Amino acid sequence: MNKPLILVVEDDAPVRNLMSTTLKTHEYKYLTAPTGRDAVMLASSHNPDVMFLDLGLPDMDGVEVIRQVRSWSNMPIIVISARSEDEDKITALDAGADDYLTKPFSVEELLARLRVTIRRLSIMNTSGAAESSIYTNGKLKIDYPAGCAFLNEEPLKLTPIEFRLLCLLAKNTGKVLTHTYITQSIWGRSWDNDIASLRVFMVTLRKKLEPTPDSPQFIQTHVGIGYRMLKIE
Ligand code: CA
C-alpha cells in the first residue's frame, strides 16, 4: 500500500510535535488536530488510515471521538492515555479502539505500535479476508467451517471453548480485545468468575498453541486489559 496517512490528535503541543517529527522522519504522511472537534472533522474530510488519539482532550472525551468516528469508519485507532487512566483505556478499547499507548512513551514504542497497526490495516484491506473460511498466520491455520485448527499442519486438540477463543482472537488479529469483550463474546456475560475462567482457558489454549509459552508468538497478554493475536510476518 502507499504510505499511510496518520492523524495525530493531541492537545499537548510538545507531545504532538514529538509525534509529528517522528512520523515525518520515518516518511509517514500525517495531519494533526489539537481538539476532538478538529479530529472528527479531519477524520471525515481526509479519511486517514490510522488515528493516534489522546483520551484527555480539552473539548470532548476521546472516547466520544471514537464513538463518532466508529459510526462511519473502521480506521484503526490507537489511543494515548496517561498512566492513571487504566479504566479509560478499557473503555476506549470497548468503544472500538484497536490499541493503546501509555504516556510517557518512547519514539520506538510509537513506531512499533504503528507497525502492528499497519499490518492489521493490510489484513483489513485484503479483499474478503474477513469472510475467508481459512485463516493462516505463520504456522497456525484455522479452518472455520470445519471447526479445526492446525499448527505446522498438525491438528490442535482444542476444547470447544478454546476453539471459540482462538477464532475470536484470529478474527481480530492485531487488535487488543478486552477481558469484558472476550467474555461477552464467549459466554454472553462478563462476571468476575467469567474473567477468572477466561484466564484459565487462555493458559490451556496457549500451552497447545505456543511451542515456547515463555515467549509467546501468537497471543500477547495485556496485563489488566486483555489479549491480542499478533500477525506473524
Ligand atoms: Ca491531553
Side-chain angles (χ1 to χ4, degrees):
M1 69 189 280
N2 294 328
K3 272 281 171 191
L5 176 63
I6 318 295
L7 173 57
V8 174
V9 185
E10 170 62 81
D11 59 311
D12 185 344
V15 179
R16 191 170 67 234
N17 293 339
L18 172 72
M19 293 178 73
S20 48
T21 307
T22 304
L23 294 173
K24 195 176 185 173
T25 311
H26 290 81
E27 296 175 346
Y28 287 103
K29 292 183 287 178
Y30 66 91
L31 296 162
T32 60
T35 65
R37 190 184 299 255
D38 289 340
V40 173
M41 213 174 64
L42 285 176
S44 68
S45 61
H46 288 72
N47 197 24
D49 298 293
V50 179
M51 184 192 304
F52 278 104
L53 173 67
D54 180 29
L55 288 178
L57 294 170
D59 60 331
M60 65 166 102
D61 192 323
V63 172
E64 185 49 36
V65 175
I66 300 173
R67 293 205 176 103
Q68 291 194 22
V69 170
R70 275 290 171 265
S71 65
W72 47 266
S73 168
N74 279 325
M75 75 178 69
I77 300 176
I78 304 171
V79 296
I80 303 168
S81 80
R83 228 167 255 291
S84 58
E85 295 169 336
D86 225 28
E87 273 305 309
D88 282 12
K89 262 180 246 175
I90 293 172
T91 311
L93 290 166
D94 282 332
D98 294 72
D99 198 357
Y100 59 89
L101 262 175
T102 305
K103 282 182 183 173
F105 53 84
S106 66
V107 163
E108 289 72 26
E109 276 179 282
L110 172 81
L111 292 169
R113 294 305 163 100
L114 192 54
R115 279 194 298 272
V116 168
T117 301
I118 288 169
R119 238 172 275 151
R120 167 163 170 75
L121 201 59
S122 65
I123 302 169
M124 285 163 68
N125 290 346
T126 309
S127 60
E131 313 304 322
S132 168
S133 59
I134 305 282
Y135 169 88
T136 50
N137 185 6
K139 290 171 176 166
L140 172 66
K141 189 165 115 186
I142 306 173
D143 184 334
Y144 292 124
C148 45
F150 304 84
L151 190 66
N152 290 321
E153 308 293 325
E154 291 288 325
L156 285 166
K157 293 192 179 69
L158 303 178
T159 65
I161 290 201
E162 288 165 356
F163 183 73
R164 284 171 67 193
L165 267 175
L166 181 63
C167 292
L168 183 66
L169 290 162
K171 285 180 176 167
N172 292 281
T173 297
K175 186 174 158 88
V176 178
L177 302 181
T178 64
H179 295 137
T180 310
Y181 179 84
I182 299 173
T183 48
Q184 285 283 359
S185 308
I186 304 288
W187 290 287
R189 50 168 206 244
S190 187
W191 297 345
D192 284 350
N193 56 351
D194 297 319
I195 293 176
S197 311
L198 171 62
R199 291 214 174 86
V200 175
F201 283 113
M202 289 303 295
V203 169
T204 59
L205 173 61
R206 271 193 160 142
K207 273 192 188 144
K208 297 175 185 179
L209 185 64
E210 308 278 12
T212 46
D214 291 340
S215 54
Q217 286 186 295
F218 295 107
I219 303 172
Q220 199 179 50
T221 301
H222 292 254
V223 177
I225 293 179
Y227 301 93
R228 156 161 59 193
M229 173 71 80
L230 288 171
K231 175 73 185 152
I232 311 291
E233 301 251 28

